[in-house]
């Protein structure tokens, strides 16, 4: 049987036109988030425009490389070989800006910290891989539910046209464009288009509903004169990403420690998403596979640092896209990686793609992030809440604690900085709460039971 006809959704291959279209859909779903980080960091560090443009190109280029490594694998020890789209992480932005703002460190200090945190992640991955038994369906489902709910604020802000507060001459001021009727209308049209196209279209075309919805929204924005193509004409046709463009890295202990802490958070988040994708594909994620996937995060940091960019992790919105389309082929995601490499090498094309307004992507993001939460609900459907009512407490308390920093931004502002950073991440709080509550109520799962649990989706308590 050829891979075009295989029953394994992860190994299914597509002909080039379909492969390109499905890969492009993944790129457009994650593009806004991917380019936002270098733009935010570049602006915060007051880098010149040409260096910010270089950061964007390097970011896209590295996103593609790391995605291909994760999806197709590299050797025996790197790459989980699942449809995982890798992108630059928002989680590390505060640490990166803090390091880059230090006049004694600057961008060389940032690059040094990124590379060192990548080495730390590669070394730590096998130890984190052993944690898989602490993530039964009641924990994995809760984590995915929390990730989707936490990200919804990002999607809503995109749909509203940006952040509610922006930096003015005298500090932060309300964004006058936030919630503009036009932005909300286009976001709503994109959302409705995706839903109607999903309902009406059949077969392969229904898998492209998100791509078509974004295209419809982009066309409306262009026709209304709301799209700024400034910079496209001045951009070169080809950009070569030069390693260590900011000079030799500077390795400073505290900045490295800060990013290593961030990578610990990101490995915990990635673990939940790897297990969720495995659940979608009907696969048991082994300790070795989880280690390979987490190790790729570290390899991504090393590559990113050498090529002048930042930290990499699994993109949750693309996990949501997998759930919507049902297309779980790792070759589709790898095709998206190739497209990202081309975008990073072709500045004019990247400028056009970057011109898609945030509210257009926001309409699709509401679906994507909602699907991440729905994936969590789907996993939780396998959990026995009748015979083991204590599982209800695991979900209820974990979700409740995770939503605290989401609904009340400044609730931990008066706590020590280190404690505040930990509690400010709803995903981190929810993950720790779910894992610890599962141990409290269901006991420490034995390794032998972990294998059966991941295979059958049964909670640990039922196997005792």
């Amino acid at each position: 049987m050829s891979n075009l006809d295989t029953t394994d959704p992860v190994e299914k291959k597509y002909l080039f036109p379909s492969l390109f279209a499905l890969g492009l859909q993944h790129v457009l779903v994650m593009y806004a988030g991917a380019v936002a980080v270098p733009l935010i960091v570049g602006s915060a560090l007051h880098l010149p425009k040409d260096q910010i443009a270089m950061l964007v190109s390097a970011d896209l280029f590295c996103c593609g490389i790391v995605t291909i490594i994760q999806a197709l694998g590299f050797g025996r020890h790197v790459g989980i070989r699942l449809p995982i789209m890798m992108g630059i992480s928002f989680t590390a932005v505060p640490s990166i800006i803090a390091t880059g703002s230090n006049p004694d460190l600057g961008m060389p200090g940032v690059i040094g910290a990124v590379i060192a945190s990548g080495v730390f992640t590669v070394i730590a991955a096998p130890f984190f891989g052993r944690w898989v038994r602490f993530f039964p369906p009641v924990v994995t489902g809760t984590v995915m539910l929390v990730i989707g709910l936490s990200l919804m604020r990002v999607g809503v802000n995109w749909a509203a046209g940006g952040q509610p507060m922006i930096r003015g001459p005298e500090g932060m001021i309300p964004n006058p464009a936030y919630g503009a009727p036009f932005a909300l209308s286009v976001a709503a049209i994109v959302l409705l288009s995706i839903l109607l196209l999903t309902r009406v279209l059949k077969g392969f075309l229904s898998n492209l509903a998100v791509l078509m919805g974004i295209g419809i929204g982009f066309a409306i924005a262009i026709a209304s004169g709301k799209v700024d193509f400034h910079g496209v004409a001045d951009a070169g046709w080809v950009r070569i990403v030069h390693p260590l463009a900011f000079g030799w890295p500077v390795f400073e202990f505290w900045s490295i420690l800060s990013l290593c802490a961030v990578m610990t958070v990101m490995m915990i988040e990635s673990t939940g998403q790897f297990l969720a994708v495995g659940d979608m594909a009907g696969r048991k994620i082994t300790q070795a596979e989880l280690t390979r996937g987490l190790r790729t995060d570290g390899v991504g940091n090393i590559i990113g640092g050498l090529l002048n960019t930042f930290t990499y992790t699994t993109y949750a919105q693309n996990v949501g896209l997998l759930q919507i389309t049902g297309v779980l082929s790792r070759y589709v995601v790898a095709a998206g990686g190739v497209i990202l490499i081309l975008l990073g090498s072709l500045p004019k094309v990247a400028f056009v793609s970057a011109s898609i307004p945030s509210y257009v992507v926001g309409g699709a993001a509401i679906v994507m992030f909602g699907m991440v939460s729905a994936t969590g609900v789907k996993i939780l459907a396998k959990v026995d809440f009748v015979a083991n009512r204590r599982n209800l407490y695991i979900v209820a308390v974990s979700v409740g604690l995770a939503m605290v920093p989401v609904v009340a931004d400044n609730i931990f502002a008066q706590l020590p900085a280190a404690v505040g950073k930990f509690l400010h991440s709803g995903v981190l709080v929810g993950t720790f709460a779910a894992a610890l509550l599962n141990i409290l109520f269901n006991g420490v799962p034995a390794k032998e039971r972990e294998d059966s649990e991941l295979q059958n989706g049964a909670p640990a308590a039922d196997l005792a």
Side-chain angles (χ1 to χ4, degrees):
M1 179 182 293
S2 71
N3 277 33
L4 288 172
D5 303 315
T6 182
T7 57
D8 185 347
V10 174
E11 298 300 328
K12 184 176 178 60
K13 293 181 179 178
Y14 294 83
L15 297 176
F16 177 77
S18 301
L19 194 66
F20 175 80
L22 291 169
L24 179 62
Q25 184 168 241
H26 270 286
V27 170
L28 292 181
V29 163
M30 58 86 67
Y31 193 93
V35 300
V37 173
L39 292 176
I40 291 170
V41 172
S43 299
L45 300 183
H46 306 292
L47 297 180
K49 186 176 181 180
D50 62 319
Q51 290 188 352
I52 294 177
M54 184 269 290
L55 284 179
V56 172
S57 293
D59 170 30
L60 295 173
F61 190 83
C62 290
C63 280
I65 292 176
V66 182
T67 293
I68 292 172
I69 292 174
Q70 189 71 284
L72 301 184
F74 185 80
R76 297 173 54 195
H77 303 293
V78 181
I80 198 170
R81 295 167 175 81
L82 285 174
I84 299 293
M85 201 81 179
M86 302 292 288
I88 201 161
S89 171
F90 282 92
T91 309
V93 168
S95 296
I96 289 172
I97 292 176
T99 299
S101 300
N102 185 334
D104 295 327
L105 298 175
M107 281 302 296
V110 171
I111 298 304
V114 169
I115 293 174
S117 67
V119 174
F120 161 79
T121 305
V122 170
I123 296 172
F127 300 98
F128 274 80
R130 297 171 188 168
W131 289 19
V132 66
R133 65 194 178 103
F134 295 102
F135 285 81
V138 67
V139 176
T140 304
T142 301
V143 170
M144 290 305 297
L145 177 60
V146 164
I147 290 174
L149 293 175
S150 298
L151 286 172
M152 191 57 69
R153 180 171 58 181
V154 176
V156 170
N157 284 340
W158 284 352
Q163 296 298 316
M165 302 294 290
I166 58 175
R167 189 172 299 278
E170 300 179 357
M172 302 302 291
I173 60 173
N175 183 358
Y178 187 80
F182 179 81
L184 295 176
S185 299
V186 173
I189 290 172
V190 171
L191 174 60
L192 290 173
S193 298
I194 292 172
L195 296 176
L196 291 174
L197 290 169
T198 301
R199 174 65 180 86
V200 173
L201 298 179
K202 305 295 183 183
F204 173 74
L205 289 178
S206 67
N207 296 333
L208 299 179
V210 174
L211 178 62
M212 294 179 185
I214 292 175
I216 290 170
F218 193 29
I220 293 173
I222 292 174
S224 303
K226 301 292 186 179
V227 179
D228 181 12
F229 289 109
H230 177 72
V232 175
D234 297 331
W237 284 103
V238 178
R239 176 188 290 273
I240 298 175
V241 179
H242 296 284
L244 300 178
F246 293 100
W248 286 103
V250 174
F251 298 97
E252 193 265 340
F253 176 77
W254 292 110
S255 59
I256 292 172
L257 183 62
S258 175
L259 269 192
C260 286
V262 169
M263 289 308 299
T264 302
V265 175
M266 288 162 56
M267 281 192 282
I268 293 171
E269 294 177 358
S270 294
T271 296
Q273 296 189 52
F274 292 154
L275 295 176
V277 173
D279 182 86
M280 291 182 206
R283 283 193 175 190
K284 180 190 74 170
I285 303 301
T286 65
Q287 177 180 317
E289 289 174 322
L290 182 57
T291 298
R292 292 203 310 264
L294 295 175
R295 190 179 283 130
T296 307
D297 285 8
V299 171
N301 282 19
I302 296 171
I303 294 173
L306 293 174
L307 295 180
N308 321 301
T309 182
F310 310 119
T311 55
Y312 287 87
T313 189
T314 305
Y315 258 32
Q317 55 261 51
N318 292 89
V319 175
L321 181 61
L322 296 176
Q323 184 66 51
I324 286 180
T325 65
V327 177
L328 300 173
S329 170
R330 61 193 180 109
Y331 300 103
V332 165
V333 170
V338 173
I339 294 171
L340 284 168
I341 291 174
L342 292 175
L343 288 174
S345 305
L346 301 174
K348 285 187 181 293
V349 179
F351 263 100
V352 172
S353 300
S355 301
I356 300 176
S358 66
Y359 48 81
V360 173
V361 182
I366 291 175
V367 183
M368 298 297 102
F369 298 153
M371 272 296 177
V372 174
S373 291
T375 300
V377 174
K378 180 181 176 182
I379 296 172
L380 288 172
K382 299 180 179 180
V383 178
D384 186 355
F385 291 107
V386 177
N388 185 359
R389 296 184 68 252
R390 292 171 297 186
N391 285 328
L392 288 169
Y393 287 93
I394 297 174
V395 179
V397 176
S398 300
V399 173
L401 291 176
M403 289 299 100
V404 170
V406 174
V407 300
D409 286 342
N410 299 319
I411 189 171
F412 302 121
Q414 298 187 46
L415 296 180
V419 178
K421 284 183 179 179
F422 173 85
L423 296 176
H424 188 69
S425 172
V427 174
L428 182 57
V429 171
T431 300
F432 267 103
L436 293 176
L437 287 171
N438 180 62
I439 293 173
L440 173 66
F441 288 125
N442 295 327
V444 177
K447 191 175 188 305
E448 294 77 14
R449 291 171 182 170
E450 167 225 338
D451 291 337
S452 298
E453 181 182 327
L454 289 174
Q455 183 80 36
N456 303 319
D462 294 343
L463 295 166

